[in-house]
Amino acid sequence: MGPSLLLDELLALPRWAEAVQLLHRGSHPSRISRFNLTSDSRSASSPGSLVCLTSAELPTWQISALVRGAADNGVSGVLVPSRDVLDVPAIRLAARFDVTLLAVTDETSIMDLVVEARVYLAAGELASSRILLRLPAALELDDVGASISAAAQLLDATIVLTRSSGTVISAAGPDADNLALPTRAGRSVDSESRLEVFSHAITLPGRTVHEGWLAVAAPIDPGVSTAGYASLPMLVSWARFHLASVLLARERDLTHDQAVVAGIDPVVSAVEDDDRWFVGLRISHSLGKVEEDFNRILAAFDVEGFSPILVKQGAGWSGWIAVSRGSVKAAMRLRQRLESVIVTTGLRAGIGTIRKGTQGRFVSIEEAALAGEVAALRHVSGGGLLLSIDELSDSELVLLALRMSAIRSAAMKLLGGAVAVPELLRTLRVYLDQQSSLVDTAAVLGVHRNTVAGRITRLQELVSVDLGTPDGRLAALLAVRAFGESDTPESPR
Amino acid sequence: MKRNCLPQHHVSDAGAAVVDLVTSCELDALERGAWILGAGGGGETTVGRMLADRAIGEGVPLMGRAALARVGVEAHVLPIGIIGASSTVGAEFLPSGQECLLVARKIEELTRVALGAVVAMQAGGINALTGLAAAADLGLPLLDADLAGGAVPRLDQLSNGSWEEPVVPVVLVDAVGRVAVFDTADSDSSLDSSTLERLVRSFVGVSTGWAAIGFRPIQRDRTPDLVVWGSMTRAINLGRAQATQNSDWDHYQPELDSQVLAVGRVVGLHRVRDTKGWCLVETDRGQLCRLDMQTEYLLVTVDGLLAASVPDVIVVLERHTGIPLATDNLRLDFEVVVIRLAALPYPDDPRLQHELSPAGYGLESSSRK
């Protein structure tokens, strides 16, 4: 349910207060969540809507028909463009069916009124959007404490990041000193401090044990804002990235022996990084002769005179190379050499952009991880693939974001029972890709148009959005992308 | 002399398939039925009844579609009636009774065709009776048909202009014997129906307020496609049914496809310049029945839902007497019954279909299809 207005609140808006004359009000307080603009009596009205007639040319008997249709659909009211279009039968009918009836003075445009009301309805979302847009910049500050502090201030909440041991890494916000350290994931309410707390266990990819805790707390009254809720996945992602960096640094020492075996001098990594330039790397594998392939890659580094710091992480390796002013050309050659090696292997690799300092190194590693993930997902006929972050299209980056677990669970909820039926999910994907054309969908799937129509009817019963509306179709499209067709179970046949 | 009415002279319920004789015995029923088919308009019938009483003699043959072949293949059917403000026909300029005869003679003179039958311009209101009187005066049979399936307010809504059939020459004779002819110079010229409507109204407006009108006679073989069949027997049968009606309106069904839409009291009435308006009836069940009207009742909604619209015939009867109420006779607090009668089949010419639909009366918004 989106934001809504009581009729009194609506009429209190500046333009509405002067322009609208209330002719009749229902006995129940009307709550208005949307505005249906229509120019004839056959309005596609829905519960909670204010039906706004934009044409004063309608024959008067059709106003009565509009009122009756509104009553049958449980709308919150009917707004007409001039009091003159309302005759006694229409007003009597509105009274009989308890329909709120509003009229606008001739000087006022209904479109202006609706725009004002919609802006008012969206105001909360706009404020949240602004906060969310500013949050990434706050989290990119060099220091973890500064990032947490800026985020807490932005969200007007308390944020605490701890290690799994309970050691506080950073905490900021009005209740930072009072907040009990999280020990359990989920939402809880501290009745003493009247705080609503969201606790997340931070788990890194490929690991089963969590590395730390992130807690976000705000007073129960007025409660966590929309921006607060929406920012949680971003904060968790940031915390995961930060803890991964910490872990990477720690594992760097643990993999000393591996590095020696690989012919790398681990002492290099101990040098202070803030004035140096780095390129992040991510190499992943599935099955096969991994060691042999890995050794060939190490040889490529060696030929160009680079000593990579690579640690084993999940199904592959992550790390970086340091690049000096004199080795830029060599780095470009390395890129080509790595590519020529990787295409002969089953490996998938990602490269970040060249960045300065410790923070830059972390960012480049994260970029390499993203590029590596896209490389792993992208279909290539035989051989491996290397992608740098610069080569990713905007759509690939957005789609990658859609595969975050939080969004995937929402997508599964939206798709409902359709996720269990591969042919329905495929039909939905193609239908949305083909701009809701039954004919084109049928052509792509190789079935009859009526079959597609039947499946869409079944899909409409299974999914939780209205496929007949633009918003519904967009949400369904994103859900299909986030869920991924390959996630569906195999067809039973 | 009052005729001795025998049952065998009654018009059959199936319509005049061959030839029936309409005698003075049927005039009561015809007048009542014409009143009903007038749908609140069509003109007050009293003077028309007087003309019919005077002219009918032993009776007028009523000729159904199948019987049309009995007139010669060269014969033509004359559409005829009275046009204008019906109130002046009876109250200000009484007819001499010769107007329709003069119209027919002038038409014959202009077109030089042999007339084989007469068709009433409208079976609703005064024209059912003047058509009958004209047929009697001319010694011709009357078609069991009309050009309107009841009553319509405009000439471009008459069926004889379907399929772009020429309707001129049109001859008008007013109450003081002035004659007007509207025609084209040759067959290459045209006079469209809406222009003709304005020309005729202009003449009527500056003459005696009403005039007898005759149209170009219709060739026998073209007639079946240019008239609305069954109108006259329908009027007679409706009149009979209404004569025996008591006040049990819940079970009133004068025809198979007819409905009582509302029984209640007039609680609102609005007219704009005497030509259009609405009437609001609150029914015994608490529903709100709205009638939109011009010179006829055109559209009914019950609680905002469309219940009937032209070309269906919408009739308002006084609840206790069953007397049909014209649109300009409605008053606040009248207790009324609102009835829908299905439209008779009329030529499916798209232009005519549109003119007879709510859109043809300006009752549809332009955005509706």
Side-chain angles (χ1 to χ4, degrees), chain A residues 19-350:
Chain A
V20 176
Q21 299 161 348
L22 192 62
L23 296 182
H24 173 75
R25 299 180 66 173
S27 56
H28 311 293
S30 300
R31 186 167 278 283
I32 297 155
S33 58
R34 67 183 66 181
F35 297 84
N36 288 128
L37 292 165
T38 181
S39 60
D40 66 31
S41 61
R42 295 172 299 179
S43 164
S45 52
S46 53
S49 64
L50 184 69
V51 175
C52 303
L53 180 66
T54 55
S55 168
E57 304 300 318
L58 215 59
T60 51
W61 73 269
Q62 287 190 14
I63 304 289
S64 295
L66 185 72
V67 168
R68 176 59 194 268
D72 288 350
N73 288 310
V75 306
S76 299
V78 174
L79 172 68
V80 295
S82 164
R83 193 167 188 161
D84 293 341
V85 307
L86 290 172
D87 54 17
V88 172
I91 296 169
R92 289 280 305 261
L93 197 68
R96 171 164 159 73
F97 285 94
D98 210 15
V99 172
T100 296
L101 205 54
L102 308 169
V104 180
T105 58
D106 293 341
E107 296 77 25
T108 311
S109 158
I110 278 190
M111 291 299 293
D112 289 347
L113 296 185
V114 171
V115 167
E116 183 185 44
R118 281 184 170 165
V119 167
Y120 186 83
L121 277 174
E125 294 174 1
L126 290 173
S128 297
S129 301
R130 278 196 292 273
I131 291 172
L132 287 174
L133 288 172
R134 290 165 62 188
L135 190 59
L139 294 175
E140 281 186 8
L141 296 176
D142 286 344
D143 181 61
V144 174
S147 288
I148 291 263
S149 179
Q153 191 172 7
L154 204 55
L155 297 171
D156 196 18
T158 298
I159 302 175
V160 176
L161 179 65
T162 74
R163 297 188 195 284
S164 55
S165 60
T167 307
V168 175
I169 298 173
S170 184
D175 298 297
D177 296 334
N178 307 327
L179 193 63
L181 295 178
T183 55
R184 203 158 54 93
R187 174 184 174 276
S188 61
V189 173
D190 186 332
S191 54
E192 191 174 333
S193 61
R194 296 194 56 74
L195 287 175
E196 184 179 18
V197 185
F198 293 87
S199 302
H200 291 262
I202 308 299
T203 309
L204 301 184
R207 291 176 179 269
T208 53
V209 181
H210 66 273
E211 296 295 325
W213 292 95
L214 176 81
V216 179
I220 295 170
D221 187 16
V224 178
S225 69
T226 305
Y229 287 115
S231 67
L232 289 173
M234 201 184 303
L235 286 170
V236 170
S237 179
W238 172 83
R240 185 176 292 136
F241 167 68
H242 176 77
L243 290 181
S245 303
V246 171
L247 183 69
L248 187 63
R250 198 170 52 196
E251 284 195 345
R252 193 173 56 195
D253 297 331
L254 295 176
T255 57
H256 177 270
D257 291 345
Q258 292 174 341
V260 171
V261 170
I264 299 169
D265 181 3
V267 179
V268 175
S269 65
V271 178
E272 183 56 49
D273 294 333
D274 283 349
D275 293 327
R276 303 173 70 201
W277 294 80
F278 300 94
V279 176
L281 302 166
R282 169 66 191 171
I283 302 167
S284 59
H285 62 77
S286 49
L287 295 171
K289 300 173 181 177
V290 177
E291 290 300 325
E292 185 181 325
D293 290 341
F294 185 56
N295 287 335
R296 290 175 61 199
I297 287 173
L298 289 178
F301 283 108
D302 196 34
V303 169
E304 298 299 337
F306 286 95
S307 300
I309 303 299
L310 290 170
V311 298
K312 190 158 181 61
Q313 191 179 49
W317 302 268
S318 294
W320 68 87
I321 57 171
V323 180
S324 65
R325 184 185 296 272
S327 61
V328 172
K329 285 186 178 176
M332 292 170 68
R333 287 197 303 274
L334 174 65
R335 165 81 168 75
Q336 293 173 345
R337 188 173 295 280
L338 281 175
E339 195 161 14
S340 64
V341 172
I342 283 175
V343 294
T344 65
T345 69
L347 300 174
R348 301 297 172 96

Side-chain angles (χ1 to χ4, degrees), chain B:
Chain B
M1 184 181 73
K2 184 72 177 173
R3 186 184 172 85
N4 183 22
C5 297
L6 298 173
Q8 63 265 34
H9 292 296
H10 286 189
V11 174
S12 67
D13 285 345
V18 282
V19 176
D20 279 315
L21 198 63
V22 180
T23 68
S24 57
C25 295
E26 278 76 51
L27 286 185
D28 279 346
L30 178 61
E31 184 182 3
R32 272 195 300 270
W35 209 354
I36 291 171
L37 280 182
E44 211 273 330
T45 57
T46 305
V47 172
R49 173 63 188 271
M50 291 163 67
L51 293 172
D53 276 336
R54 178 190 58 77
I56 195 163
E58 291 300 309
V60 174
L62 189 63
M63 184 178 283
R65 183 175 186 146
L68 189 61
R70 294 192 180 192
V71 304
V73 69
E74 297 296 325
H76 286 64
V77 175
L78 174 67
I80 199 162
I82 283 181
I83 189 169
S86 60
S87 58
T88 61
V89 179
E92 297 173 24
F93 288 100
L94 285 169
S96 68
Q98 297 300 304
E99 289 84 359
C100 287
L101 211 51
L102 290 170
V103 164
R105 297 296 172 236
K106 190 68 179 174
I107 293 274
E108 283 180 315
E109 177 190 327
L110 290 168
T111 60
R112 299 181 185 281
V113 298
L115 298 179
V118 167
V119 62
M121 188 170 78
Q122 301 186 138
I126 187 172
N127 276 309
L129 296 151
T130 53
L132 182 76
D137 285 340
L138 291 166
L140 295 172
L142 178 70
L143 291 196
D144 181 14
D146 73 341
L147 306 181
V152 293
R154 305 195 311 265
L155 295 182
D156 59 342
Q157 294 171 311
L158 296 175
S159 62
N160 60 330
S162 303
W163 312 112
E164 299 185 355
E165 183 80 9
V167 298
V168 293
V170 164
V171 172
L172 296 135
V173 175
D174 76 2
V176 292
R178 288 173 294 202
V179 178
V181 177
F182 295 106
D183 202 352
T184 54
D186 51 49
S187 59
D188 292 335
S189 306
S190 65
L191 180 54
D192 66 81
S193 55
S194 61
T195 305
L196 178 66
E197 161 77 16
R198 292 203 299 276
L199 289 170
V200 168
R201 296 290 171 191
S202 300
F203 173 76
V204 170
V206 297
S207 61
T208 51
W210 66 269
I213 184 170
F215 299 84
R216 178 192 190 88
I218 309 169
Q219 286 179 349
R220 187 197 74 174
D221 291 344
R222 289 286 293 143
T223 303
D225 295 331
L226 297 174
V227 300
V228 182
W229 289 100
S231 306
M232 302 304 288
T233 49
R234 184 185 205 188
I236 293 169
N237 290 331
L238 281 170
R240 285 181 188 149
Q242 197 261 358
T244 58
Q245 168 61 20
N246 56 27
S247 57
D248 181 15
W249 296 109
D250 286 339
H251 298 95
Y252 180 59
Q253 194 171 23
E255 292 180 344
L256 191 60
D257 189 7
S258 64
Q259 293 168 281
V260 174
L261 302 177
V263 180
R265 181 185 295 273
V266 176
V267 294
L269 196 58
H270 179 69
R271 292 190 180 92
V272 182
R273 295 192 299 277
D274 294 332
T275 56
K276 64 179 183 179
W278 51 259
C279 166
L280 189 64
V281 175
E282 186 167 13
T283 72
D284 295 349
R285 298 171 184 169
Q287 295 171 310
L288 291 171
C289 171
R290 174 196 173 115
L291 291 106
D292 278 85
M293 55 196 185
Q294 292 175 10
T295 50
E296 285 82 27
Y297 300 110
L298 304 177
L299 187 141
V300 181
T301 56
V302 178
D303 275 348
L305 301 179
L306 185 63
S309 66
V310 283
D312 287 350
V313 178
I314 297 162
V315 185
V316 178
L317 305 177
E318 202 283 326
R319 180 176 190 168
H320 302 291
T321 62
I323 294 174
L325 291 169
T327 56
D328 47 7
N329 286 341
L330 275 182
R331 298 290 183 272
L332 280 174
D333 284 333
F334 272 17
E335 291 195 79
V336 298
V337 183
V338 182
I339 296 164
R340 169 194 163 273
L341 305 173
L344 286 176
Y346 52 86
D348 59 354
D349 169 28
R351 184 199 64 80
L352 184 66
Q353 299 259 352
H354 176 267
E355 296 301 341
L356 292 175
S357 72
Y361 291 86
L363 286 173
E364 289 280 5
S365 65
S366 55
S367 60
R368 283 173 68 99
K369 292 174 182 171

Side-chain angles (χ1 to χ4, degrees), chain A residues 306-469:
Chain A
F306 286 95
S307 300
I309 303 299
L310 290 170
V311 298
K312 190 158 181 61
Q313 191 179 49
W317 302 268
S318 294
W320 68 87
I321 57 171
V323 180
S324 65
R325 184 185 296 272
S327 61
V328 172
K329 285 186 178 176
M332 292 170 68
R333 287 197 303 274
L334 174 65
R335 165 81 168 75
Q336 293 173 345
R337 188 173 295 280
L338 281 175
E339 195 161 14
S340 64
V341 172
I342 283 175
V343 294
T344 65
T345 69
L347 300 174
R348 301 297 172 96
I351 301 178
T353 51
I354 183 166
R355 293 185 182 274
K356 187 181 181 184
T358 305
Q359 190 72 21
R361 186 182 63 189
F362 291 150
V363 172
S364 187
I365 292 170
E366 181 72 4
E367 289 173 345
L370 280 175
E373 191 162 350
V374 174
L377 290 171
R378 195 180 279 186
H379 176 73
V380 178
S381 55
L385 178 66
L386 180 142
L387 285 176
S388 73
I389 189 76
D390 300 333
E391 293 175 291
L392 303 191
S393 67
D394 290 344
S395 61
E396 281 176 318
L397 287 170
V398 170
L399 292 178
L400 198 64
L402 282 176
R403 295 185 70 84
M404 289 167 58
S405 59
I407 296 178
R408 278 168 50 79
S409 65
M412 282 189 69
K413 189 176 171 190
L414 183 150
L415 294 171
V419 301
V421 189
E423 70 179 16
L424 281 185
L425 203 60
R426 194 173 307 120
T427 301
L428 179 60
R429 176 180 63 75
V430 176
Y431 176 71
L432 295 168
D433 286 348
Q434 298 299 322
Q435 301 177 35
S436 308
S437 164
L438 293 178
V439 174
D440 293 345
T441 305
V444 171
L445 294 176
V447 298
H448 193 269
R449 176 185 179 282
N450 291 345
T451 304
V452 177
R455 288 180 186 175
I456 298 301
T457 304
R458 281 176 63 199
L459 278 162
Q460 185 58 81
E461 293 169 357
L462 294 172
V463 302
S464 63
V465 293
D466 183 357
L467 294 174
T469 65

